[in-house]
Amino acid sequence: MRGRGRHRHCGHGDGPFRKGGFRRTAPRQAVLEVVREADDYLAADEVYRRVYERLEGIGIATVYRTLQLLTELGVLSRIVSDDGKALYRVADEEAALHRVVLVCRRCSARRAVPASDGALGEHLRSLYRTIENDHEFTVEQSLHQLSGLCSDCSRISHGGSPRL
Ligand SMILES: [Zn+2]
């Protein structure tokens, strides 16, 4: 059995929202910490139960909305269990801090790409180092939303047939 952990939300200073103003981001912070501490997928109602222990009075709708938002942002990953329940867990620690989202201006498709892996991760870390050196500003979180054309729409606008 897990302890109640009532006071554990009082900031270890390691969360992605640590500088964001506690009041405004409290639900996000609490949801993220509950899911992170679980070490396994958690059902939405269980997330709500545990968040409520930390933020008494929080509404179930707020918790569900927060889960949905964090999933859209790529911070949490969501699966559906055999009995149809939505289950959540943290997608990846660095993904929680740095995100890249590609948005197609034509079909509005949104795609989150991993911002911490491979060449892209290298480029971003280099970008943040440059900002730190040149502008004396430490980057802790980032959200890059890039607008353009997805591969399907790009094919259409180049005059090719989209699908054969
Ligand atoms: Zn498109």
Side-chain angles (χ1 to χ4, degrees), residues 14-17 28 32 36 69-77 89-101 112-118 120-121 124-125 128 140-144:
D14 60 350
F17 304 111
R28 284 196 199 187
L32 192 55
R36 181 184 293 145
L69 178 73
L70 291 173
T71 304
E72 282 168 11
L73 293 172
V75 176
L76 298 182
S77 61
R89 70 166 202 195
V90 172
D92 143 359
E93 201 65 21
E94 204 169 342
L97 294 167
H98 301 290
R99 301 187 298 273
V100 176
V101 181
V113 295
S116 53
D117 304 340
L120 180 57
L124 290 176
R125 280 188 285 275
Y128 304 146
E140 294 179 334
Q141 293 182 56
S142 67
L143 170 58
H144 304 269

Side-chain angles (χ1 to χ4, degrees), residues 104 106-109 149-150 153:
C104 179
R106 185 160 180 159
C107 71
S108 301
L149 286 171
C150 73
C153 294

Side-chain angles (χ1 to χ4, degrees), residues 9 22 28 35 64 74 82-83 89 100 107 145 151 164:
H9 68 274
F22 183 75
R28 284 196 199 187
V35 177
Y64 280 38
D82 294 339
D83 55 349
R89 70 166 202 195
V100 176
C107 71
Q145 181 168 302
S151 56
L164 292 176

